[in-house]
Amino acid sequence: MSKQPLSFQPGHNHDRCIHEALHKARTLCSERKQRLTPIRELVLQLIWQSHKPLGAYELLPALADAGFNSAPPTVYRALDFLQAQGLVHRIASLNAFIGCPHPGPAHQGCFLICRSCSCTVELESAPVQNAIHNSAAHLGFVIEQETVEVVGLCPNCQQSDANSLQREAE
Amino acid sequence: MSKQPLSFQPGHNHDRCIHEALHKARTLCSERKQRLTPIRELVLQLIWQSHKPLGAYELLPALADAGFNSAPPTVYRALDFLQAQGLVHRIASLNAFIGCPHPGPAHQGCFLICRSCSCTVELESAPVQNAIHNSAAHLGFVIEQETVEVVGLCPNCQQSDANSLQREAE
DNA sequence: ACAATTTAAGTTATACTATAACAAAACATA
DNA sequence: TATGTTTTGTTATAGTATAACTTAAATTGT
Ligand SMILES: [Zn+2]
Ligand SMILES: [Zn+2]
Ligand SMILES: [Zn+2]
Ligand SMILES: [Zn+2]
């Protein structure tokens, strides 16, 4: 079996994920002379509280707790900024947002989303990209933006899913 | 140049597209002993008025004109049925729906969506599917549902886009 | 044909997601 | 410090989708 991405490793050191994400964000914004304001950094940190996509409205209570305004525009503005900087991606099929594990080079992710635990992996996916580009090129279509979102069962949940089906059968 | 799908052929006989879509729908529903009621058939016909994805709320006025109830649940129920029968697909990135040009065998489309004219092609896309399946299999992820939506410029609009950029430059 | 059951449609209300528009505050630059 | 720019606060509203219950129509079995 190949090495699993951290998203699919329940016991991994997630504090490290958070720390690295924030560190990369600070570095990138600094390089680009973009302002990673307290609200923006907090939203990024909240997005990284897990490897599960979060809806914008799920972030509002935490923003309020931290003493910020927590009307929808606040969180959407922060998310817009983070998306523009490539620090988070939007998952269209879930109306939700997830942190990008390798921000920097502009890219659009290819996401594997577990319908049971919600844990989501962002693939590099060169073969997928190539296949799409070839198909598009064949029709003379010029690609500007790609959305690739795959829902299913992660390795961990296949086990629990089998277990619960078995329990039902008993 | 390869043969373009009808979606990207402005002058094609679209009445034929509509007629074929309705014919296939009647046949499939009949075979499956599913009821293609007047509302459902009308919604399918409205969806097929073009090759552009349409939002649910864009269908409501036409439903009212035809003398049906036109509250949101009416159109969403019809769309749910049509999706379940594989007669229409939902485009998650647009919150919109489009007719399936080859209903019957269960499948999830790979869509090329023109951001200028909205015309949308559903590809067969075996290579794309394979690439996704390989990547997923490599991680032990079991696929249940795929969303592949590509936004860009269709061959026709590349021309007009170039023209308008040129006009701006003058 | 009739009653019982299932499926679909009508209706009202509401949840969820996202943005418009304008005012106030903070920041950057000179 | 004065000036222009960017960010945040605030209120309102647009856009998308579903819950819950009622009525009507179609299907099934007798
Ligand atoms: Zn982690
Ligand atoms: Zn990414
Ligand atoms: Zn057509
Ligand atoms: Zn299709």
Side-chain angles (χ1 to χ4, degrees):
Chain A
M1 168 112 100
S2 68
K3 187 162 136 287
Q4 284 294 343
L6 293 179
S7 308
F8 288 165
Q9 292 181 20
H12 76 275
N13 180 354
H14 186 62
D15 285 342
R16 191 138 182 279
C17 295
I18 298 175
H19 182 268
E20 283 189 9
L22 292 177
H23 180 72
K24 287 178 188 166
R26 289 186 200 107
T27 304
L28 276 175
C29 289
S30 169
E31 284 171 8
R32 296 170 180 168
K33 305 212 190 321
Q34 295 292 313
R35 292 165 57 194
L36 189 61
T37 63
I39 288 186
R40 290 166 176 175
E41 186 168 323
L42 174 55
V43 168
L44 182 60
Q45 186 186 321
L46 292 169
I47 284 288
W48 270 99
Q49 70 194 251
S50 74
H51 292 276
K52 309 170 201 273
L54 277 181
Y57 281 73
E58 297 180 84
L59 302 169
L60 289 176
L63 246 68
D65 289 349
F68 292 104
N69 173 33
S70 69
T74 301
V75 70
Y76 279 104
R77 283 166 183 156
L79 289 169
D80 285 348
F81 172 85
L82 295 170
Q83 278 183 269
Q85 297 305 317
L87 298 168
V88 310
H89 296 288
R90 181 167 188 272
I91 307 293
S93 59
L94 298 178
N95 294 327
F97 302 84
I98 191 161
C100 175
H102 48 267
H107 66 276
Q108 330 231 181
C110 166
F111 299 92
L112 302 184
I113 306 161
C114 179
R115 70 143 158 88
S116 173
C117 71
S118 296
C119 284
T120 295
V121 165
E122 178 179 341
L123 295 176
E124 302 282 344
S125 75
V128 176
Q129 302 262 126
N130 286 341
I132 292 175
H133 282 247
N134 287 343
S135 296
H138 194 246
L139 299 181
F141 186 91
V142 173
I143 294 178
E144 291 177 349
Q145 187 197 116
E146 295 163 38
T147 300
V148 181
E149 299 168 7
V150 180
V151 174
L153 278 183
C154 76
N156 307 309
C157 290
Q158 285 164 43
Q159 189 54 44
S160 14
D161 205 56
N163 289 347
S164 57
L165 285 176
Q166 199 177 331
R167 270 196 302 279
E168 277 176 27
E170 287 170 359
Chain B
M1 167 111 101
S2 69
K3 187 163 134 287
Q4 284 296 342
L6 293 179
S7 308
F8 288 164
Q9 291 181 18
H12 75 274
N13 180 351
H14 186 61
D15 284 341
R16 191 136 183 279
C17 295
I18 299 176
H19 181 269
E20 282 188 11
L22 292 177
H23 180 72
K24 287 178 189 167
R26 289 186 200 109
T27 304
L28 276 175
C29 288
S30 169
E31 283 170 9
R32 296 169 180 167
K33 307 217 190 318
Q34 295 291 315
R35 294 166 53 195
L36 188 62
T37 63
I39 288 186
R40 290 165 176 174
E41 186 169 322
L42 174 55
V43 168
L44 182 60
Q45 186 186 321
L46 291 169
I47 284 288
W48 270 99
Q49 72 195 250
S50 74
H51 293 275
K52 310 169 199 274
L54 276 182
Y57 280 74
E58 296 180 84
L59 302 171
L60 289 177
L63 247 67
D65 289 349
F68 292 105
N69 174 33
S70 68
T74 301
V75 69
Y76 278 104
R77 283 168 183 154
L79 289 169
D80 286 347
F81 171 86
L82 295 171
Q83 278 184 270
Q85 297 305 318
L87 298 168
V88 309
H89 297 288
R90 180 167 187 273
I91 307 293
S93 59
L94 298 179
N95 295 328
F97 302 84
I98 192 162
C100 175
H102 48 268
H107 65 276
Q108 331 232 182
C110 167
F111 300 93
L112 301 185
I113 307 161
C114 179
R115 68 142 159 91
S116 172
C117 72
S118 297
C119 284
T120 295
V121 165
E122 178 179 342
L123 295 177
E124 302 282 343
S125 77
V128 175
Q129 300 264 126
N130 285 341
I132 292 175
H133 282 247
N134 286 343
S135 296
H138 194 246
L139 298 180
F141 186 91
V142 173
I143 294 180
E144 291 176 350
Q145 185 197 117
E146 295 164 39
T147 300
V148 181
E149 299 167 8
V150 180
V151 174
L153 277 185
C154 76
N156 306 310
C157 292
Q158 285 164 44
Q159 189 55 44
S160 15
D161 205 56
N163 289 347
S164 59
L165 284 176
Q166 199 179 333
R167 272 196 300 280
E168 276 176 29
E170 289 169 357

